[in-house]
Amino acid sequence: YKRQGSNIKEFFKIWESSGLVNIEEKLECHRSIQDICSFADMLYPKESKAKSLNKVKTELDGVFLIKQEDIIDFNNMLHPFVLRWDKRKNTCGLNATNFGDSKALTKERTLIFPTKPMIDFYLDNKTIDSDVSKYYVALTRAKQSICIVVDKFPQRDFLEDYNFREINLKKFVLTNKED
């Protein structure tokens, strides 16, 4: 078995069946609020769900979609930690960290430049064929909010259509923006 990423659990189950280890699941999350935990849990639908112990409230909590045209103003207002898949992704001039390089980091809020498979997964309910664990790492760096950059907001009510049950996914719209 491959001993990393999403295969690590299977590797340890083999060890457990041989009596080498005892697996005890810890489902409490001290870092992220529940909306972020639930959103990230969607990547692993067959696994147990995380329960947030983060009870902090701020001016912007949750999981949001943000139009690309608003990210510079958003960045200037809230200074999120910017994440991307790799250096080929255009981040509109913002300094960014690759998903995989952000492991073990904790930030107040993140601005995520998603890949097409990531957008397809969340908005069109398609399967992600690439390394799901990197997406999970990106989604779980933030304590209070995630903003996912999109070209445009979906036209339909995707919250009901795509089963975002306990997720309070919102559109982030700058209200103080001058025309």
Side-chain angles (χ1 to χ4, degrees), residues 157-175:
D157 183 5
F158 61 94
L159 298 178
E160 285 184 25
D161 292 349
Y162 296 101
N163 216 8
F164 282 88
R165 291 177 297 277
E166 65 272 28
I167 315 299
N168 188 10
L169 185 65
K170 309 166 193 105
K171 297 175 184 175
F172 180 81
V173 180
L174 290 170
T175 55

Side-chain angles (χ1 to χ4, degrees), residues 20-39:
L20 297 171
V21 297
N22 183 31
I23 298 174
E24 182 180 336
E25 268 190 319
K26 299 283 187 181
L27 300 174
E28 295 86 16
C29 174
H30 294 270
R31 176 185 292 142
S32 304
I33 62 170
Q34 189 61 52
D35 277 353
I36 293 172
C37 291
S38 298
F39 195 65

Side-chain angles (χ1 to χ4, degrees), residues 110-174:
T110 57
L111 177 65
I112 297 176
F113 284 84
T115 62
K116 180 159 178 14
M118 192 177 189
I119 290 289
D120 290 346
F121 174 77
Y122 285 115
L123 300 185
D124 293 329
N125 211 20
K126 294 183 180 173
T127 303
I128 293 180
D129 294 326
S130 55
D131 190 354
V132 174
S133 62
K134 281 188 181 180
Y135 291 109
Y136 188 83
V137 166
L139 292 174
T140 57
R141 299 307 89 205
K143 294 192 296 187
Q144 301 305 130
S145 65
I146 297 170
C147 274
I148 299 171
V149 179
V150 293
D151 292 330
K152 60 182 179 177
F153 293 135
Q155 295 298 311
R156 62 189 177 285
D157 183 5
F158 61 94
L159 298 178
E160 285 184 25
D161 292 349
Y162 296 101
N163 216 8
F164 282 88
R165 291 177 297 277
E166 65 272 28
I167 315 299
N168 188 10
L169 185 65
K170 309 166 193 105
K171 297 175 184 175
F172 180 81
V173 180
L174 290 170

Side-chain angles (χ1 to χ4, degrees), residues 31-32 81-83 97-108 110 137-138 140-143:
R31 176 185 292 142
S32 304
F81 185 65
V82 182
L83 292 166
T97 300
N98 294 347
F99 291 175
D101 294 336
S102 68
K103 193 170 184 175
L105 297 178
T106 299
K107 301 295 179 180
E108 189 77 12
T110 57
V137 166
T140 57
R141 299 307 89 205
K143 294 192 296 187

Side-chain angles (χ1 to χ4, degrees), residues 5-6 40-49 132-134 136:
S6 57
D41 282 345
M42 291 174 64
L43 289 168
Y44 296 101
K46 295 178 183 173
E47 298 296 327
S48 301
K49 305 304 177 209
V132 174
S133 62
K134 281 188 181 180
Y136 188 83

